[in-house]
Structure formats: C-alpha cells, structure tokens
Amino acid sequence: MSEKDERKDAMTRRQFIRKGGYVAGGAIGGGILGASISQMFMPTAPSPSPEISKTKNEGVQKADVERYNQALMFFNKQEDFKVLAQASERIFPADDLGPGAIDLDVPFYIDHQLAGAWGNNARDYMLGPFYPGIETQGFQSHLKRNEIISQGIARIQSVSKENFKKKFTELNEQQQDDILAAFEKGKVKMKGVSSNDFFTLLRMSVLEGVYADPLYGGNRDMAGWKMKGFPGNQMSYLAQIESKEFLEIEPSSLHSHIASPKK
C-alpha cells in the first residue's frame, strides 16, 4: 500500500470514529446508532418522483394512517383475540360517558404488550423458588405474563363451552359477566396461577389500555383522557401556569409530538 493510500485509509477510519462518537454521544439506542452509522457509508436511495408517490398513496385514507397500531403482534388466532376483546369490553364497557374497550383499541394495546418485554417478563426475576405470596407481594408464578393471559383466554373459552355450550363471543352480556366473575372469585382451575390472579392481570391491562398514551396502541383518539379531562402529554404548561382559572386543555399524545414536532 502506498503512503497516499495509507493516509487515505487512516482518514477514513478517523472519520468513522469521529462521526460514530458524535452519534453515540447524541443518541442512546442501538437502533438509532446503527441506522446513523450505516447512513455514513450506505448510498442514499433516490426519492421517488411526485408521480410515483401520488400513485402509491392513491386510495389511502386518513384513518388508515391514524390506525397504524391495529396490527396483531402476539395472538395468531383470531378467535383468541376476539375472546380477549369481548372480555375487555365487559371489564370496561361502553356507556353514556364514552366508548368501551373495543372502540378504544384496548385489545390491540394488550396484544402489543404481551409481545414485548412486559409480556415476556424480560425485567423480572424468574428463577424461583415460587411460593404463594402474601397480599402485599402479589402472586408468584413461573409463568410469563403472556403465558398467563393465553391460558386464561383458553380457559374462558372452555368454561363457556362447558357451561353454555357456546363460544364466549356468542354469549350475552350477563353470561359473559358470570364467567368473568367466576375467574375473579378464583373459582376456575388454572395451572401455575389462580384464576383470580389472571383476572387481576387482565383488568389491570385493560385499564392501562384505556388510559395509556395512544402511541402504545390503545386510548384511540385520546377518548380515555377526554372522559377524565386529562390533558395528556403536553410539551409545556408555561402559558397556563399563571392562570387563576380552571383551564380545559385539549389533550395531546406523544405520537402527535413525534409526527408533528412543534417549532
């Protein structure tokens, strides 16, 4: 290798280290870091012409963009997802005050959580031994949360068929309530966990889906926040903090800040 080539190679490596250092110092996260570094050396794809973009976006409705979270990540059986949806709706039903769990996309929120770190107990100690916990400790189980929910959904379906000879989704509201009440009272046998613990976990997940930021898949159109008068994730309250009057603030989600950052 010539002296000129060696200098060129050294400069290239120094540029990589310098640029990589900028990225690592300014952004935390493997995905961001990897994407940023790769852009230093990967050729940029040409932008499609306006005509092509227009053709590709033809027929795409505004609702399709807003409902980007309506995609299953954990459940691979539609029937199981429907049982989850109906059970969620009975826990948080629609009424005169606002929409229920289904219209708030709560089932999708739960599905996404079960597919992620929370559903897989990624941050929990899972090596045992497992003993029944006291009331202040919560339940102790070797099962992951997504395994508990999956087993609970299957048991809801089987109990429905045993008691009413129908699928859970075919029952009327009172019959569905009766089955869920049996789980809440711990009367249904489950493996590795009590039915009461399953119901508690399900109910907690439903309420989280109602009031979590829409970025995570639930609380569609921030309707859960609107029912509570909660302002959501505001960037700042400097304009309102001196007011002596009660203010009703239009709620704002994290997704809106990401999609349309305020200047």
Side-chain angles (χ1 to χ4, degrees), residues 17-255:
I17 294 172
R18 184 175 68 253
K19 292 180 179 179
Y22 290 157
V23 174
I28 298 175
I32 299 175
L33 179 60
S36 301
I37 293 177
S38 64
Q39 288 174 3
M40 299 176 195
F41 305 99
M42 295 292 286
T44 303
S47 300
S49 65
E51 292 77 12
I52 295 176
S53 297
K54 183 178 179 182
T55 303
K56 288 187 71 175
N57 291 328
E58 244 180 331
V60 176
Q61 302 297 320
K62 185 171 182 284
D64 294 332
V65 178
E66 292 177 343
R67 305 295 176 242
Y68 65 97
N69 268 327
Q70 285 194 349
L72 294 182
M73 297 180 180
F74 177 74
F75 287 97
N76 52 26
K77 293 182 179 179
Q78 281 291 334
E79 187 61 35
D80 290 344
F81 183 71
K82 290 178 181 178
V83 172
L84 170 68
Q86 288 293 319
S88 300
E89 183 72 15
R90 296 314 306 147
I91 292 173
F92 196 91
D95 58 20
D96 296 338
L97 298 177
I102 291 178
D103 287 334
L104 287 168
D105 285 346
V106 169
F108 287 102
Y109 167 83
I110 297 175
D111 172 83
H112 297 175
Q113 293 301 310
L114 295 178
W118 181 83
N120 286 283
N121 293 59
R123 298 182 180 180
D124 296 351
Y125 180 82
M126 298 293 292
L127 297 180
F130 300 96
Y131 299 104
I134 61 177
E135 291 184 3
T136 56
Q137 293 177 320
F139 73 91
Q140 309 289 312
S141 176
H142 65 280
L143 299 175
K144 298 176 182 178
R145 294 185 184 93
N146 54 25
E147 293 174 328
I148 293 173
I149 295 295
S150 294
Q151 183 188 167
I153 295 301
R155 289 295 289 132
I156 287 176
Q157 190 76 293
S158 61
V159 170
S160 175
K161 293 178 179 179
E162 290 169 6
N163 294 350
F164 300 101
K165 311 302 180 183
K166 294 181 180 179
K167 296 179 180 179
F168 184 77
T169 53
E170 298 172 342
L171 303 180
N172 60 45
E173 293 179 354
Q174 184 58 55
Q175 291 171 330
Q176 290 178 341
D177 288 347
D178 290 343
I179 290 178
L180 293 176
F183 278 84
E184 183 180 17
K185 295 175 182 177
K187 294 182 177 180
V188 180
K189 291 184 178 180
M190 294 182 62
K191 296 180 179 179
V193 67
S194 71
S195 64
N196 171 261
D197 290 332
F198 156 71
F199 180 85
T200 300
L201 183 63
L202 176 62
R203 181 179 180 276
M204 178 188 71
S205 301
V206 169
L207 294 179
E208 286 180 357
V210 171
Y211 298 115
D213 192 285
L215 179 70
Y216 300 104
N219 191 11
R220 182 196 292 186
D221 297 329
M222 298 176 284
W225 290 346
K226 291 174 183 177
M227 285 188 282
K228 288 285 188 179
F230 179 66
N233 292 293
Q234 300 289 326
M235 295 297 287
S236 172
Y237 291 97
L238 288 177
Q240 300 90 0
I241 197 169
E242 297 294 336
S243 176
K244 296 181 180 180
E245 299 179 359
F246 179 81
L247 300 176
E248 293 186 7
I249 303 175
E250 186 70 19
S252 177
S253 74
L254 291 172
H255 181 259

